[in-house]
Amino acid sequence: NAGVTQTPKFRILKIGQSMTLQCTQDMNHNYMYWYRQDPGMGLKLIYYSVGAGITDKGEVPNGYNVSRSTTEDFPLRLELAAPSQTSVYFCASSYFYLGQQSPDTQYFGPGTRLTVL
Amino acid sequence: DAKTTQPPSMDCAEGRAANLPCNHSTISGNEYVYWYRQIHSQGPQYIIHGLKNNETNEMASLIITEDRKSSTLILPHATLRDTAVYYCIAGYSTLTFGKGTMLLVSP
C-alpha cells in the first residue's frame, strides 16, 4: 500500500513551458486535493475533486487545470508557467461518504518541488 | 473555514509535555478542529481532530474549550522527532492551513 505518490520530485521549468504533475493514490479514496506551499507559508488549496469526473476550484486556481478520469489519479496541469508558480506542490486524498460523522483525515504525498525560471 | 491564531514558535524540552494553543473564535457549529504537523518540508501528517469533546489517540490529546473558541494540542512526552510545524485548522471538508507553530524540541 503506497498511499499517495507524486511525480516528479523536482522539476525546473522555463517561463511559458507547460507540465503535468502526477498524483496517484491506492487507498480507494473518493476525495483528492492539490495544494501549493510557498516558502515559510502554509498550504493553499488549488483544486479538489469529490470523485471521478467532478472537480472544483480552491483558493488559488488561476494558472492551473485538473481532471479526474479515475478514482486513483488526479493530475495537475500548469499551462504557460510563470515565476509566481515556483512552489512545492502537495497532493492529498481522503475518504468521505454522505452521513459520515466527519470528513476523514487527509493523507498527503511527499510533494513536488517546482522552480520556474 | 474559520480563521485560527497560533503562536509562531514554541520550545519544549525532550520528555516534557508540549502544549500547543490555538484560537478559533469564529468557528461555526459544524466545523471541526483539526491538527496536522509538517516535518521539514515533508507532506503534512494528520494528528487528531475533534468537534466538541476532548479527544485522545496514540499521538496526542486535544482539549477543546466548552465555548469551542480555543483548543490545545498536547504531546504528552515530546521527543526530538516531534520537532515540526503544527497546524491548527477549523473546517469541514476543505482545510485552510495557516502558518502554524514551529515547535522545537531540545535535548
Side-chain angles (χ1 to χ4, degrees), chain A residues 33 35 37 40-43 45 48 90 96 100-103 105-106 108-109 113, chain B residues 32 34 36 38 41-46 49 87 92-99:
Chain A
Y33 313 80
Y35 296 86
Q37 185 174 32
M41 305 295 287
L43 282 72
L45 183 64
Y48 67 102
F90 291 102
F96 177 72
Q100 183 171 322
Q101 191 171 19
S102 70
T105 61
Q106 292 188 22
F108 284 80
R113 188 174 298 274
Chain B
Y32 286 72
Y34 296 87
Y36 282 75
Q38 187 174 26
S41 302
Q42 296 177 18
Q45 175 191 25
Y46 166 82
H49 76 278
Y87 297 101
Y92 188 63
S93 59
T94 59
L95 306 178
T96 300
F97 288 77
K99 292 186 179 181

Side-chain angles (χ1 to χ4, degrees), chain A residues 1 22 26 32 39 89 91 95-96 112:
Chain A
N1 197 342
Q22 301 292 344
D26 62 359
M32 295 188 75
Y89 291 84
C91 178
Y95 182 69
F96 177 72
T112 294

Side-chain angles (χ1 to χ4, degrees), chain B residues 1 4 8-9 21 29 39 57-58 61 72-73 75 77 95-97 101 107:
Chain B
D1 293 356
T4 61
S9 64
I39 298 173
N57 62 22
E58 65 278 4
S61 294
T72 301
L73 178 74
L75 307 178
H77 305 287
L95 306 178
T96 300
F97 288 77
T101 295

Side-chain angles (χ1 to χ4, degrees), chain A residues 18-36:
Chain A
S18 301
M19 76 164 294
T20 299
L21 281 67
Q22 301 292 344
C23 175
T24 300
Q25 54 91 9
D26 62 359
M27 297 173 282
N28 202 30
H29 286 171
N30 51 350
Y31 277 56
M32 295 188 75
Y33 313 80
W34 274 106
Y35 296 86
R36 60 175 286 173

Side-chain angles (χ1 to χ4, degrees), chain B residues 54-74:
Chain B
N54 298 338
E55 303 287 345
T56 296
N57 62 22
E58 65 278 4
M59 289 182 68
S61 294
L62 173 61
I63 309 297
I64 303 174
T65 58
E66 193 170 343
D67 62 8
R68 301 211 323 125
K69 292 185 177 181
S70 65
S71 61
T72 301
L73 178 74
I74 301 172

